[in-house]
Amino acid sequence: MTLNRQKSLARFRDEEFDLAVIGAGINGAAVARDAAMRGVRVALIDRGDFACATSSRSSKLIHGGFRYLPQGQFKLVHAALRERERLRHLTAPHLVHPIQFLFPVYRGRGFNRFTMAMGLTLYDLFAGMPFKEWHSSLNAAEVRETEPALCRDGLTGGAMYFDAWADDARVTFENVLDADLHGAAVANYAALENLSPSSGKIASAGVRDLLGGVSLELRAKTFLNAAGPWVDEIRRMDDPLSKPSVRLTKGVHLVFARTVLPVREAIVLADERGRIVFVMPHDRYVLVGTTDTDYAGDPASVRTEPDDIEYLLAVLAESLPGIKLSNADLATSFAGLRALVRAEKGAAAPSSVPREEVILESSSGLITVAGGKFTTHREIAQKLVDLVMKRLGRPVGVCPTLATPFPGARPLFPGDEPGIGAAMRTIPAEAAEILKARYGTRAPLVAGIAARRPELAEPLSRGCPAIAAEVVHAVGSEMAHSVGDFLVRRTSLSWRSPVEAEAAAPTVARIMAAELGWDRAREDAEVAGFTHEQDSRRAIA
């Protein structure tokens, strides 16, 4: 029931795998899960933490992409909505939740009321939405009543419609966890150093354990490159003459306290070119984004820049003129990179480039996947594992991920009633609700820690939606090795509760020090590192 990094590293040394997946973002994690569930011997590595790049820096939306309809990407929208409903109702109901958006319509800016109504009708039909969740059209007065802060000049009406949101890092992690539960060997902080061919085909890879400082050989019949923004770097290890395959674009999100951005509803705004920006309240904070601009720098150095903030603040100022925001109001921000289908630079605006995935095969057998929508990760993985199964000479069969819930959405033990366990009844009700929301049916595993050590049932800081037992669980069962691993990716507190997360960092470091044997210098460095990162995300010159 727990991830064991040392056991996985030992397996890397001792076994030959059918499939080695490089990169544990959402695409790599989903491939590992699907393949392991089909009986494939899988190894999964990432040189950082699970979901450490793009897959923890998305808009947190599980959606069809309404804006892709005017671009004619009907197949993509239909597939994404089908996957949204699968996640929401079958495979990940503990992580994927409905969100209702208000979409105002302004004269001369993007959609008009008729095209909005027609587009949302198609959107709901594609999703197979029950009638009670169908969109509703609003006139200008109804829009003003729903969200008084919206600009009234040129307002002609709008609509309310449903989509879904999720903790992207937890969705990625549950794919990793399920791969492990089905026999995969998984390890974070394991960096690919080289690819070694035999008879013209890749037969092994050099991997460095970044925590232990040693290198090892990983042998596999097939290698799959799912390194996100770094896919072309991996491709050049295979073929130094390979041409770039993806176009990187940057997406920036800003987070404000709800006290300074007091919107009532989740809102879809449009800039003067009709480009969409989401405003999404989550508890005490509001997430605003995203940008979509070309990026040519080091993927590891992507960050929020002053121009990104200026653009998003301008969209907010135009549409919510009564709410005065400045850089000083920023609670935090985050930036990520999308890997899009590559074309000639300037051929199309980044927001107009298709969001379908890129799948390539090299002469040495390396399979590369990049891009695609987070929402369609399962379908992308199915295509790739079908390909791997054919390579291995095995029957493709029925894809098991079509109907198998994630670990947190299926009974913890045979006969368990979901979400119920003796340990859950021994901890405070508020703590139990926090655990169920994050871990689903696996919440009793964390509650058991708190039940045995009651001091760990307390919040990590005042008002923090996480308890101390989660840190122990993250270290012992979820392969967390740093304060950032826990606060950024295992709990997403860094954006969902940024002030509370910073206040919790010393407690998180103290608990991790006791669990991992850190000395005081390492403990202090972890706190300082996380605090510096949070400061840099809000104090942007």
Side-chain angles (χ1 to χ4, degrees):
M1 286 288 183
T2 64
L3 298 183
N4 188 317
R5 188 171 181 276
Q6 292 306 313
K7 181 178 178 181
S8 289
L9 292 173
R11 289 183 60 191
F12 293 168
R13 296 185 188 96
D14 298 339
E15 297 181 25
E16 181 184 24
F17 294 88
D18 297 316
L19 173 66
V21 181
I22 305 159
I26 189 59
N27 283 337
V31 167
R33 177 188 185 229
D34 186 328
M37 291 178 73
R38 296 199 216 186
V40 175
R41 290 171 297 175
V42 180
L44 172 66
I45 61 171
D46 197 294
R47 67 180 172 189
D49 188 25
F50 308 120
C52 67
T54 305
S55 297
S56 58
R57 302 176 192 178
S58 76
S59 294
K60 321 303 176 187
L61 286 172
I62 302 295
H63 66 145
F66 179 68
R67 70 185 180 91
Y68 302 129
L69 288 177
Q71 300 172 12
Q73 297 186 54
F74 300 110
K75 182 179 178 182
L76 173 66
V77 175
H78 183 260
L81 287 170
R82 184 175 62 238
E83 292 300 317
R84 183 196 75 182
E85 294 303 286
R86 189 190 314 277
L87 285 161
R88 181 182 162 193
H89 296 292
L90 176 62
T91 59
H94 60 305
L95 295 176
V96 179
H97 310 286
I99 181 172
Q100 190 171 34
F101 281 104
L102 170 62
F103 199 152
V105 174
Y106 288 90
R107 189 175 297 110
R109 194 192 308 174
F111 297 93
N112 60 44
R113 290 186 67 187
F114 176 76
T115 57
M116 170 79 71
M118 293 299 294
L120 285 175
T121 297
L122 190 61
Y123 203 70
D124 289 339
L125 284 170
F126 278 176
M129 296 287 277
F131 186 72
K132 66 179 181 179
E133 293 185 355
W134 266 57
H135 75 278
S136 58
S137 295
L138 308 177
N139 60 35
E142 290 170 327
V143 172
R144 291 194 298 267
E145 182 180 357
T146 303
E147 185 53 77
L150 281 168
C151 178
R152 300 187 177 197
D153 294 342
L155 180 67
T156 62
M160 298 288 290
Y161 76 98
F162 278 98
D163 245 320
W165 74 275
D167 180 336
D168 50 3
R170 284 305 302 184
V171 171
T172 303
F173 181 77
E174 289 224 8
N175 274 277
V176 173
L177 177 62
D178 216 10
D180 177 86
L181 290 172
H182 284 87
V186 305
N188 52 3
Y189 300 104
L192 181 74
E193 292 187 308
N194 56 68
L195 295 169
S196 299
S198 176
S199 302
K201 300 295 182 181
I202 299 173
S204 65
V207 175
R208 185 162 183 82
D209 172 8
L210 297 179
L211 300 182
V214 298
S215 295
L216 54 92
E217 183 183 44
L218 173 62
R219 292 169 293 123
K221 296 173 182 175
T222 299
F223 283 80
L224 188 143
N225 170 18
W230 293 272
V231 290
D232 284 333
E233 178 182 318
I234 304 301
R235 291 178 66 242
R236 286 191 293 272
M237 287 186 185
D238 174 43
D239 176 7
L241 300 179
S242 63
K243 295 181 179 179
S245 63
V246 296
R247 173 182 179 180
L248 299 182
T249 69
K250 181 172 72 167
V252 167
H253 295 80
L254 308 182
V255 180
F256 299 93
R258 206 163 179 175
T259 53
V260 300
L261 184 50
V263 291
R264 293 181 181 177
E265 306 287 342
I267 312 171
V268 183
L269 302 179
D271 66 14
E272 69 278 3
R273 299 184 302 276
R275 219 197 139 268
I276 282 175
V277 171
F278 295 101
V279 179
M280 297 170 284
H282 292 287
D283 301 322
R284 292 185 292 252
Y285 293 87
V286 183
L287 182 65
V288 177
T290 177
T291 62
D292 201 355
T293 55
D294 282 307
Y295 184 82
D298 177 2
S301 300
V302 63
R303 67 187 296 271
T304 304
E305 302 289 349
D307 287 351
D308 303 317
I309 298 176
E310 182 180 349
Y311 166 74
L312 291 172
L313 287 179
V315 173
L316 292 172
E318 182 178 28
S319 297
L320 303 165
I323 299 176
K324 308 299 183 183
L325 294 171
S326 70
N327 291 38
D329 296 309
L330 188 63
T332 192
S333 69
F334 56 89
L337 294 175
R338 310 173 190 86
L340 305 180
V341 176
R342 187 174 181 84
E344 288 299 319
K345 189 173 182 180
S351 58
S352 300
V353 177
R355 261 43 178 180
E356 282 90 351
E357 68 279 3
V358 179
I359 298 177
L360 302 170
E361 296 181 69
S362 75
S363 59
S364 66
L366 179 68
I367 302 171
T368 293
V369 59
K373 285 173 56 61
F374 189 98
T375 304
T376 57
H377 67 267
R378 190 214 60 80
E379 185 179 63
I380 294 170
Q382 180 179 344
K383 294 177 187 176
L384 289 161
V385 179
D386 285 353
L387 173 61
V388 170
M389 296 298 282
K390 291 173 184 175
R391 276 203 187 181
L392 294 172
R394 301 181 189 178
V396 171
V398 176
C399 179
T401 63
L402 285 164
T404 304
F406 283 0
R410 58 186 188 241
L412 183 59
F413 302 109
D416 256 7
E417 182 181 347
I420 301 298
M424 296 291 285
R425 295 188 286 271
T426 67
I427 63 175
E430 186 175 356
E433 290 304 312
I434 288 172
L435 299 186
K436 283 192 285 186
R438 188 146 33 242
Y439 307 98
T441 57
R442 296 176 65 80
L445 297 176
V446 189
I449 297 170
R452 293 189 296 273
R453 299 168 59 183
E455 74 277 9
L456 297 181
E458 296 299 318
L460 287 166
S461 64
R462 184 176 181 180
C464 182
I467 64 172
E470 294 183 73
V471 184
V472 176
H473 176 73
V475 171
S477 300
E478 296 192 344
M479 228 178 264
H481 300 285
S482 72
V483 168
D485 288 352
F486 179 78
L487 290 175
V488 179
R489 290 168 290 278
R490 300 302 180 276
T491 60
S492 296
L493 292 172
S494 62
W495 73 266
R496 292 198 66 184
S497 301
V499 174
E500 294 81 1
E502 193 165 341
T507 300
V508 174
R510 176 176 53 79
I511 297 170
M512 294 189 84
E515 296 297 313
L516 293 169
W518 294 346
D519 59 20
R520 185 56 185 267
R522 171 67 186 275
E523 182 181 338
D524 291 344
E526 285 284 334
V527 176
F530 178 77
T531 302
H532 173 75
E533 183 66 22
Q534 287 294 93
D535 285 345
S536 70
R537 289 178 173 180
R538 63 170 173 263
I540 298 157

